[in-house]
Amino acid sequence: MSDADARARRVWIRDPLAILAEEAGGGIVVAGSRIVERVAVGAQPAAPVDETFDASRHVVIPGLINTHHHAFQTLTRAHPIAINKPLFPWLKALYTVWGRITPEAFRLANRVAYTELLLSGCTTAGDHHYLFPKGLEQSVDIQVEEARSLGIRAAITRGSMSLSDREGGLPPETLTQDDDTILADCERVLNLFHDPAPGAMVQVGLAPCSPFAVTKRLMRESAALADRHGCRLHTHLGETLDEDQFCLSMFGCRPVDYLEEVGWMSDRVWLAHGIHFNDAEVARLGKAGVGVCHCPTSNMTLASGHCRTCELEAAGSPVGLGVDGSASNDSSNLMEGVRHALMLNRLTYGAETVTHLDALRWATEGSAACLGRSDIGRIEPGREADLALFTLDELRFSGAHDPLAALVLCGATRADRVMVAGQWRVIDGQPLGVDAVRLREDHSRLAKALFGVG
């Protein structure tokens, strides 16, 4: 325990109904931003506490960690031009309207996404923002401001698109930037916002969008820039068979070969989706320590396929969870994503191979590993006090016997309390400092004004 933790106000989260931690049946003690003690059943904390929170109605788990999202897409959920389409047609349809987004709309989109995530028990919000049309050049700045305002931990990646349809890529030229502009802004936001220290509330990574949206030069120079700044690298890879065909026709190789060619086969990298990898590619990714974010809800919505979670983990790749974009998921609820991960992976691997504890582990420890963080993702002394507390008071849980299993199997979707860095951010199911009714009205109004049909 540090001197700062020893001086901080000590809070005992006492006697939980259940807790996802060993030897903590009597709860945990939080001092400052960190967990400082696990208390055994029937025991007392080793030192006096200043406050006690009765958790006897609550199932306590580590705060969920989202490792892939596109918050701006909350403005185009269930949009008529895009529903019932696979990835490439879905993207091409939405590219026609996404350029209309304004700074005000983008700010509200992020506020909605972050709030939804918090309410679902998520304490670290990863976002991959790659859309920078004219007027939206300060997108990362807005995201950081909104995360800080809500008190959620943020892993923001400065995304990019530089390969337009005129050059053989997928996005229209109006939504792309040139490589030099992108790299200059990447350096700017890293210098302004990236905090590599343990306990950081904001970290920034670099995230060229995908093989069909960026140049090889941008991939290589992003990797070099990330190495200089000590930050993470993120991109979409292996999401669809269309992407495989694009890489073969454009680059003469499969996506994993492309990744290696541009210098991204590294444990500094985590990928979104990772569906269409063959056995040899899984082994190569695992040997390099490349992480993979599994996005089950989006993958099922777009019928993209299923991530090879078990094989990737066995090969050495960290596996985390993400909600993915709110226009391919239509939700920013990571607890819902945990349940979907369990169901989809049981369908793939069998009921005895993947358990509710595996799905929860992917959303906590696995996601933390994808982000390169050892200070979050588990309930143990020394880690950040990022916690999600759920009650089982709804009818859906009536008759449930294993509280931790019930969270996943019975479909928990909303946390009763959420703590980030030792501070309550959700109390009694309500986000602190947010007028949710007004937020929904303002966000919905802008979504209809900018992207409405008819």
Side-chain angles (χ1 to χ4, degrees), residues 65 67 232 266-270 289-293 313 316-321 361-378 383:
I65 300 168
T67 53
R232 308 293 283 181
S266 159
D267 62 4
R268 191 188 296 279
V269 173
W270 89 99
V290 174
V292 176
C293 173
E313 276 198 313
S317 288
V319 172
L321 283 191
R361 176 174 52 78
W362 289 333
T364 53
E365 292 181 68
S367 286
C370 283
L371 299 180
R373 299 193 66 155
S374 58
D375 58 338
I376 56 177
R378 284 177 62 90
R383 300 239 182 178

Side-chain angles (χ1 to χ4, degrees), residues 92-325:
K92 288 180 178 179
L94 288 170
Y95 283 154
T96 66
V97 299
W98 279 343
R100 303 174 194 166
I101 192 169
T102 64
E104 180 189 10
F106 182 71
R107 183 177 294 279
L108 288 181
N110 278 272
R111 194 174 301 168
V112 163
Y114 287 152
T115 303
E116 280 187 279
L117 286 168
L118 272 173
L119 290 173
S120 75
C122 179
T123 53
T124 299
D127 193 72
H128 179 183
H129 183 67
Y130 54 80
L131 196 69
F132 292 82
K134 182 174 281 190
L136 211 62
E137 292 85 358
Q138 306 297 308
S139 295
V140 173
D141 308 60
I142 292 171
Q143 290 188 295
V144 171
E145 289 170 8
E146 288 299 314
R148 286 174 172 167
S149 174
L150 287 167
I152 195 167
R153 208 178 295 277
I156 296 167
T157 56
R158 203 294 185 185
S160 50
M161 298 195 295
S162 65
L163 189 69
S164 73
D165 51 4
R166 292 182 58 184
E167 302 159 303
L170 202 67
E173 194 171 29
T174 54
L175 296 184
T176 62
Q177 295 176 301
D178 65 78
D179 289 349
D180 290 332
T181 298
I182 290 165
L183 290 164
D185 194 57
C186 287
E187 187 123 37
R188 179 186 73 84
V189 297
L190 282 167
N191 287 331
L192 278 175
F193 303 123
H194 180 57
D195 180 1
M201 291 299 293
V202 176
Q203 292 191 335
V204 175
L206 303 182
C209 186
S210 61
F212 49 82
V214 299
T215 64
K216 284 187 176 180
R217 179 201 165 204
L218 184 60
M219 292 291 286
R220 291 190 182 101
E221 295 202 19
S222 294
L225 186 58
D227 188 57
R228 291 199 300 274
H229 283 267
C231 74
R232 308 293 283 181
L233 289 164
H234 184 51
T235 192
H236 298 88
L237 203 80
E239 184 175 2
T240 65
L241 293 173
D242 285 340
E243 181 191 315
D244 284 2
Q245 292 305 311
F246 177 91
C247 287
L248 286 168
S249 62
M250 187 76 172
F251 307 122
C253 63
R254 286 175 54 82
V256 173
D257 298 319
Y258 168 88
L259 198 71
E260 187 151 29
E261 184 181 340
V262 296
W264 277 52
M265 197 66 83
S266 159
D267 62 4
R268 191 188 296 279
V269 173
W270 89 99
L271 309 172
H273 303 295
I275 295 169
H276 298 286
F277 298 146
N278 60 37
D279 291 346
E281 291 166 343
V282 167
R284 288 164 63 192
L285 292 164
K287 184 177 180 181
V290 174
V292 176
C293 173
H294 177 31
C295 301
T297 311
S298 172
N299 294 163
M300 290 188 286
T301 299
L302 297 176
S304 300
H306 56 84
C307 177
R308 300 185 67 184
T309 52
C310 292
E311 293 93 339
L312 285 160
E313 276 198 313
S317 288
V319 172
L321 283 191
V323 295
D324 199 13

